[in-house]
């Protein structure tokens, strides 16, 4: 089996390399040709995908689907294939790095893929300064670096898949130094995007043809929308200003100011904001900043975006959130990189608020009703599992997880689901739902790194979902009395939720006290035993 696999790969790679070399021989001056580079990237992607398909086909054909050996082999296969994908993304760079980062935030793919591909967040190699200078001169004219800026650091302070950021000081009429961060897009990305996204689309269809239940076209479609807006820094600047306006009264959030006179589609000039990546736990410990407080603030920021503003930052990975110890609160969160933002449909925002209210109080009928609205039908029974870690029939309180019996029943139920069911579920969801799913996945990953209690995120979501529902009463068609009654009902529901979480917090605190007391009692008994043994040892020796 392995021999046939290797022979197949060998012939495939040989054919791909031969094609590229032949083209290069016939076109000796095309070393930096965007077309030949695209052909090479696509060939590498094709080789990787076909190798992966062959690996899955041959490996899984040797096992019975219901056995533990099959599940173990599948885990090893996912890991092997994820490493293959990671290597391909690193080699292809640019749009492929961005695609890998995008997939790493999709929690509906096997965890082996999301875990390994998340390393792409920190692996972008910066371009040479000559390339950056060329882009700057194309956008602002010759000698722009010396005419526009008092200083411009050649070494970037950050490098990503489509751009890198340089620290600089702007010239101005008042001769006051203005420190800025200049984000410069790499050249040739628009052509790369069209070619690479087309390749990804064809390959995803090829995977679907090879494995009918595995349909990933929805991921490619979402990524295409994401990357198209991300390559236009004018759009990013407008997104930045909107989020800055939304959080202008929140002292825990800082969004940099933008300098429009020095911003184009390829260059974004904004206020320089200091800080460290939000997952730098050592930095927070050194500064005496509580990880749980940071987690709570971040959960509230995300919840406010989704449930209240309806305008969501869609790429909140650690590199795009800084912790700055500058504010009087002890710290603030600095939000960066607004290329991927999504305006949620107002009806969706309200329904999503209703869904979270139903999830908190476990109103199974309401959850299924909202599931019908979102078009997922019977799959809505898995909403509580996805968002709160409980089954729809769970008797445990929110934030307490599942009982052993519930886990056993859920495991048995999930065995009956096929990949086709998961594909159908994801394809049925509206695009706004996919956006909040990915954002929630990124938040939960950070919550886990902080070691924050599950209830931190759940309470923030519940609180802002109810507040988001109260905004419905602002409709001009509502009478003054109707608005008052609606807000009164929302207020009562909010009090109920706060009481629920208050009781949960009290139970958790009592359990922690019990655990601490038990541990201390054991330590005390152990110490007493040690003392007694030492007292009696001389007597026993005598």
């Amino acid at each position: 089996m392995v021999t046939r696999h290797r022979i197949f790969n060998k012939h495939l790679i040989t054919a791909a390399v031969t094609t590229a070399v032949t083209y290069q021989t016939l076109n000796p001056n095309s070393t930096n040709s965007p077309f030949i580079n695209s052909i090479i990237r696509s060939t590498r992607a094709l080789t990787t995908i076909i190798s992966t398909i062959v690996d899955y086909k041959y490996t899984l054909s040797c096992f019975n689907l219901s056995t533990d050996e099959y599940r173990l082999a599948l885990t090893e296969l996912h890991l092997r294939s994820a490493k293959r994908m990671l290597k391909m993304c690193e080699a292809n760079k640019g749009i492929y790095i961005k695609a890998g980062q995008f997939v790493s935030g999709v929690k509906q793919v096997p965890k082996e893929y999301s875990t390994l591909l998340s390393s792409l967040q920190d692996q972008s190699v910066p371009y040479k300064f000559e390339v950056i200078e060329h882009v700057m001169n194309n956008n602002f004219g010759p000698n722009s670096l010396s005419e526009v800026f008092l200083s411009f650091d050649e070494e970037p302070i950050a490098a990503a898949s489509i751009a890198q950021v340089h620290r600089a000081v702007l010239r101005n009429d008042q001769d006051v130094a203005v420190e800025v961060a200049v984000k410069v897009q790499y050249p040739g990305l628009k052509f790369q995007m069209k070619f690479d996204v087309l390749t990804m689309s064809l390959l995803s269809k090829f995977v679907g043809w090879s494995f009918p239940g595995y349909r990933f076209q929805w991921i490619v479609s979402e990524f295409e929308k994401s990357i198209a807006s991300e390559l236009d820094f004018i759009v990013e600047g407008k997104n930045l200003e909107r989020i800055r306006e939304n959080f202008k009264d929140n002292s825990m959030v800082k969004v940099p100011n933008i300098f429009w006179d020095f911003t184009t589609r390829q260059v974004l000039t904004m206020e320089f904001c200091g800080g460290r990546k939000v997952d730098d736990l050592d930095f927070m410990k050194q500064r005496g900043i509580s990880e749980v407080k940071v987690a709570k603030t971040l959960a509230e920021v995300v919840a406010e975006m989704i449930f209240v503003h309806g305008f969501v930052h869609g790429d909140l990975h650690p590199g795009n959130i800084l912790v700055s110890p500058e504010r009087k609160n002890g710290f603030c969160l600095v939000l960066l990189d607004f290329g991927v933002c999504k305006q949620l449909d107002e009806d969706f925002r309200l329904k999503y608020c209703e869904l979270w209210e139903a999830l908190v109080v476990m109103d199974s009928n309401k959850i299924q009703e909202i599931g019908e609205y979102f078009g997922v039908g019977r799959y809505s029974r898995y909403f509580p599992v996805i968002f709160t870690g409980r089954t729809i029939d769970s008797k445990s309180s929110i934030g307490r997880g599942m009982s052993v019996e519930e886990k056993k029943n859920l495991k048995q139920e999930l065995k009956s689901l096929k990949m086709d069911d998961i594909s159908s579920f994801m394809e049925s969801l509206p695009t706004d739902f996919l956006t909040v799913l990915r954002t929630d996945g990124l938040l939960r990953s950070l919550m886990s790194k902080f070691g924050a209690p599950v209830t931190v995120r759940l309470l923030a979501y519940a609180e802002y979902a109810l507040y988001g529902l109260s905004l419905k009463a602002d409709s001009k068609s509502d009478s003054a009395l109707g608005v008052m009654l609606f807000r009164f009902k929302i207020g009562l529901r909010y009090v109920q939720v706060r009481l629920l979480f208050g009781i949960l917090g009290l139970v958790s605190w009592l359990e922690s006290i019990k655990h601490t007391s038990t541990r201390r009692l054991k330590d005390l008994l152990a110490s007493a035993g040690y003392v007694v043994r030492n007292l009696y040892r001389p007597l026993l020796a005598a």
Side-chain angles (χ1 to χ4, degrees):
M1 177 189 75
V2 175
T3 303
R4 291 176 64 185
H5 180 198
R6 286 177 177 170
I7 291 173
F8 181 83
N9 282 346
K10 183 178 179 182
H11 286 305
L12 185 66
I13 293 168
T14 301
V17 172
T18 301
T19 301
V21 170
T22 301
Y23 183 93
Q24 186 62 41
T25 303
L26 296 174
N27 300 272
N29 297 321
S30 64
T31 306
N32 296 316
S33 165
F35 178 73
I36 189 61
N37 286 336
S38 297
I39 291 293
I40 292 171
R41 288 196 310 277
S42 296
T43 303
R44 191 180 286 121
L46 176 63
T47 303
T48 301
I49 293 298
I50 291 181
S51 300
T52 301
I53 289 174
V54 171
D55 199 0
Y56 273 89
K57 285 279 188 184
Y58 278 98
T59 301
L60 298 183
S61 65
C62 303
F63 299 95
N64 186 316
L65 271 64
S66 60
T67 62
D68 291 335
E69 288 80 5
Y70 170 82
R71 285 185 282 275
L72 178 61
L74 184 61
T75 299
E76 293 174 349
L77 182 53
H78 284 333
L79 183 60
R80 188 163 65 244
S81 302
K83 288 178 179 177
R84 200 179 287 130
M85 294 293 180
L86 176 63
K87 187 177 179 181
M88 182 266 291
C89 289
E90 289 172 338
N92 278 357
K93 301 179 182 178
I95 305 300
Y96 280 88
I97 292 280
K98 201 71 192 174
Q101 293 172 348
F102 186 86
V103 171
S104 73
V106 179
K107 296 305 178 184
Q108 287 66 46
V109 301
K111 65 179 180 180
E112 292 81 7
Y113 285 89
S114 58
T115 301
L116 263 182
L117 293 176
S118 65
S119 66
L120 292 171
Q121 305 288 0
D122 302 309
Q123 289 192 7
S124 296
V125 178
Y127 274 50
K128 292 181 179 179
F129 186 69
E130 290 78 9
V131 176
I132 300 303
E133 187 175 20
H134 181 69
V135 174
M136 294 295 293
N137 289 339
N138 282 345
N139 282 269
F140 300 113
N143 304 315
S144 60
L145 292 183
S146 59
E147 293 178 1
V148 175
F149 302 95
L150 283 172
S151 65
F152 194 101
D153 293 353
E154 293 191 10
E155 285 296 319
I157 55 175
S161 54
I162 65 168
Q164 62 193 53
V165 181
H166 291 259
R167 197 168 182 170
V169 178
L170 270 176
R171 293 182 183 276
N172 64 20
D173 297 334
Q174 288 77 34
D175 291 326
V176 178
V178 179
E179 196 171 18
V180 294
V182 185
K183 183 177 178 180
V184 185
Q185 188 179 125
Y186 302 139
L189 287 181
K190 289 217 168 179
F191 176 82
Q192 281 187 31
M193 180 197 72
K194 292 176 183 177
F195 204 103
D196 292 348
V197 169
L198 176 61
T199 300
M200 292 173 196
S201 180
L202 293 173
L203 290 177
S204 71
K205 289 175 181 177
F206 183 51
V207 171
W209 175 77
S210 303
F211 297 94
Y214 289 71
R215 299 189 299 276
F216 297 115
Q217 190 60 34
W218 62 272
I219 295 181
V220 178
S221 298
E222 286 302 301
F223 173 69
E224 184 176 9
K225 295 172 191 172
S226 163
I227 194 65
S229 63
E230 205 168 352
L231 291 180
D232 188 342
F233 288 175
I234 298 292
V235 172
E236 179 174 349
K238 291 177 180 177
N239 291 340
L240 180 154
E241 285 196 323
R242 184 166 178 185
I243 289 182
R244 182 181 169 87
E245 176 66 21
N246 287 344
F247 287 98
K248 66 181 180 181
D249 297 323
N250 190 332
S251 62
M252 300 301 296
V253 179
K254 184 174 183 179
V255 178
N257 190 23
I258 187 170
F259 295 87
W260 281 111
D261 290 342
F262 308 104
T263 294
T264 68
R265 292 183 184 277
Q266 288 185 300
V267 179
L268 178 65
T269 304
M270 57 193 154
E271 172 190 4
F272 176 83
C273 296
R276 300 288 282 272
K277 287 173 64 173
V278 73
D279 62 348
D280 190 339
L281 303 185
D282 290 336
F283 169 75
M284 285 188 268
K285 285 177 183 176
Q286 290 168 9
R287 293 299 186 110
I289 299 172
S290 166
E291 293 99 324
V292 174
K293 285 185 179 179
V294 172
K296 181 176 182 293
T297 302
L298 182 57
E300 289 173 349
V301 167
V302 172
E304 188 172 343
M305 285 181 181
I306 295 172
F307 297 107
V308 180
H309 304 155
F311 190 70
V312 183
H313 189 309
D315 199 18
L316 286 173
H317 63 76
N320 290 338
I321 312 166
L322 304 181
V323 175
S324 173
E326 296 174 358
R327 296 283 176 95
K328 61 182 180 181
N329 306 303
F331 73 92
C332 73
L333 298 180
V334 180
L335 304 184
L336 303 171
D337 197 349
F338 303 88
V340 184
C341 290
K342 181 71 181 288
Q343 171 65 60
L344 303 179
D345 177 78
E346 179 63 6
D347 289 337
F348 171 85
R349 183 188 70 79
L350 291 170
K351 279 295 178 185
Y352 194 66
C353 288
E354 290 179 17
L355 173 62
W356 265 92
E357 183 190 10
L359 288 170
V360 169
V361 299
M362 195 50 82
D363 185 342
S364 57
N365 291 330
K366 187 67 174 179
I367 291 170
Q368 291 176 339
E369 177 190 319
I370 295 171
E372 292 292 337
Y373 175 84
F374 286 138
V376 298
R378 65 189 180 93
Y379 301 115
S380 62
R381 66 180 285 102
Y382 299 109
F383 279 161
V385 177
I386 293 170
F387 290 114
T388 67
R390 295 187 296 172
T391 63
I392 198 163
D393 304 313
S394 179
K395 304 301 179 186
S396 60
S397 56
I398 190 167
R400 307 293 293 173
M402 288 180 274
S403 66
V404 174
E405 185 65 24
E406 286 169 348
K407 287 180 181 178
K408 182 181 176 182
N409 293 338
L410 178 63
K411 188 176 180 180
Q412 198 62 35
E413 185 178 342
L414 292 177
K415 281 183 180 179
S416 64
L417 291 179
K418 298 178 181 177
M419 191 61 200
D420 186 59
D421 293 306
I422 297 173
S423 296
S424 297
F425 171 68
M426 298 307 297
E427 289 170 341
S428 301
L429 290 171
T431 57
D432 284 355
F433 209 112
L434 296 175
T435 297
V436 296
L437 262 181
R438 183 169 185 274
T439 302
D440 183 59
L442 292 169
L443 174 64
R444 289 167 79 169
S445 177
L446 282 169
M447 294 288 106
S448 177
K449 286 184 180 180
F450 292 138
V454 176
T455 50
V456 168
R457 165 180 156 273
L458 296 178
L459 179 56
Y461 275 26
E463 181 178 340
Y464 281 90
L466 290 173
Y467 178 55
L469 276 176
S470 72
L471 301 178
K472 182 180 179 181
D474 289 337
S475 171
K476 292 179 181 178
S477 61
D478 290 329
S479 66
L481 180 60
V483 169
M484 286 178 62
L485 286 173
F486 183 82
R487 286 182 173 165
F488 178 72
K489 289 178 183 178
I490 291 292
L492 280 180
R493 275 140 65 179
Y494 175 70
V495 170
Q496 289 175 332
V497 168
R498 292 295 304 189
L499 283 173
L500 172 63
F501 277 91
I503 293 169
L504 289 175
L506 178 61
V507 170
S508 178
W509 178 74
L510 289 173
E511 285 186 349
S512 67
I513 290 293
K514 179 183 175 183
H515 176 74
T516 303
S517 300
T518 303
R519 190 178 69 247
R520 286 178 178 173
L521 180 60
K522 287 180 179 178
D523 291 343
L524 181 62
L525 290 173
S527 299
Y530 176 77
V531 170
V532 170
R533 282 195 302 272
N534 283 340
L535 285 172
Y536 280 91
R537 187 170 290 147
L539 297 175
L540 292 171

